[in-house]
Amino acid sequence: MEPVTVHMPGYRVQEYTLVLSPHEDLRQRIAGLREDFSSKFQHPSSKQLKPYISLVRFSTWEMMEEKITQSLQIIAMGMMPFKVELKDFGSLPSHTLFINVVSRVPVLHLVKELKQAQRIMKMKAGDKPHFMEDPYIPLAVRLKPWQYEQSWADYSNRQFTARFIADHMLLLKKSTGHAWQIVRRFEFQNLPVTTRQGSLFNQ
C-alpha cells in the first residue's frame, strides 16, 4: 500500500519577519534608488526588495501565529513611537549594499523588547530566531563579485539622508514559493500596560 500523507491544519511551517516600514514618500524614494541600481549594475532582483528595516526573522508552525501576534501586540502597546535617521550607504562584503540606520539605539531597544517573545518564535529547543543587531535597509543583496566591487566604489561616495517616525511594526510571513504577506500591523501606543509581563509569560 502507498503511504498516506496527512496534512494537519496548523502544522505547516511558515517563515516570518517583523519589520519597521517607512512612510510612503520615503518608500518611493528608496524604490527609485533600487530602480537606478538595477539598471546600472544589471541586478533586477534589487527592484523586488521591500524598503523595510528587519527586526527579527524566524520560522515556526502556522498554528503558533495567533499566540505570536498576541505577544507582539502587548509589546507594541508599551512602545513609544521614535524617529529613525537614515544616512548614506554601507556594505557587507562582498554581497550586500544597504542604507545606514544611524539612530540605532531606539531600534535596538525595540529588538531587546522583542526578545521577550522569542520562546514562541521557534519550533524546538535548538532553534533560534535571528534578531537584527545591526539594523539597515537593504539596497541590493546576493551581488556577484563584480557587481559588489563596482557598485560599492560608486555608493561609498554617495550621500543620502532621510528620516521617518516609526509608529508601528509589521509582521510578514512567506510560505514556500510565495511572496511576503502582511499578517498584522502593530501600532506603538506608549500605554502603561500593567499586565504586560504576566500576559507574555503566562501564554
Side-chain angles (χ1 to χ4, degrees):
M1 292 180 60
E2 299 245 349
V4 177
T5 302
V6 179
H7 296 284
M8 298 180 66
Y11 281 86
R12 182 168 52 180
V13 175
Q14 299 279 13
E15 184 180 355
Y16 294 89
T17 184
L18 192 67
V19 302
L20 297 177
S21 177
H23 55 75
E24 177 64 22
D25 288 346
L26 182 51
R27 292 203 303 270
Q28 291 299 322
R29 186 178 169 195
I30 294 171
L33 282 174
R34 288 173 172 161
E35 287 276 357
D36 178 67
F37 188 100
S38 174
S39 60
K40 190 170 185 178
F41 298 104
Q42 303 171 38
H43 195 259
S45 63
S46 61
K47 294 188 294 184
Q48 301 169 9
L49 292 171
K50 299 297 184 183
Y52 297 145
I53 299 173
S54 180
L55 301 169
V56 57
R57 295 186 70 159
F58 59 96
S59 296
T60 192
W61 307 112
E62 189 174 39
M63 64 181 176
M64 295 297 295
E65 194 171 290
E66 183 176 355
K67 184 173 286 190
I68 290 168
T69 57
Q70 289 173 353
S71 294
L72 295 178
Q73 178 64 38
I74 292 169
I75 293 172
M77 288 172 66
M79 286 298 301
M80 179 185 296
F82 56 89
K83 183 166 63 175
V84 178
E85 297 272 358
L86 308 175
K87 183 173 175 59
D88 301 337
F89 302 92
S91 73
L92 298 174
S94 55
H95 51 76
T96 298
L97 262 64
F98 56 81
I99 300 170
N100 288 313
V101 175
V102 293
S103 55
R104 295 163 50 90
V105 172
V107 180
L108 293 179
H109 172 69
L110 173 56
V111 170
K112 181 180 178 181
E113 291 296 304
L114 293 172
K115 288 181 179 180
Q116 298 178 79
Q118 63 181 312
R119 180 175 56 84
I120 56 174
M121 292 179 179
K122 51 190 178 182
M123 292 182 287
K124 57 183 184 295
D127 292 342
K128 288 186 178 180
H130 179 61
F131 291 95
M132 298 299 292
E133 303 292 347
D134 186 17
Y136 59 79
I137 295 181
L139 181 66
V141 300
R142 293 188 290 275
L143 296 170
K144 296 176 181 177
W146 73 265
Q147 290 172 321
Y148 172 80
E149 292 171 8
Q150 293 184 21
S151 62
W152 182 232
D154 180 357
Y155 280 82
S156 61
N157 295 308
R158 290 199 188 192
Q159 294 184 331
F160 179 89
T161 57
R163 62 184 57 85
F164 69 95
I165 299 298
D167 58 5
H168 69 280
M169 57 186 178
L170 300 175
L171 180 64
L172 313 176
K173 74 175 176 181
K174 180 172 67 172
S175 302
T176 304
H178 292 79
W180 289 103
Q181 299 175 331
I182 296 176
V183 177
R184 180 89 174 266
R185 174 183 172 123
F186 305 95
E187 303 290 341
F188 298 155
Q189 301 177 52
N190 193 29
L191 296 176
V193 187
T194 56
T195 60
R196 182 177 170 195
Q197 296 296 330
S199 297
L200 272 175
F201 294 109
N202 290 327
Q203 288 182 18

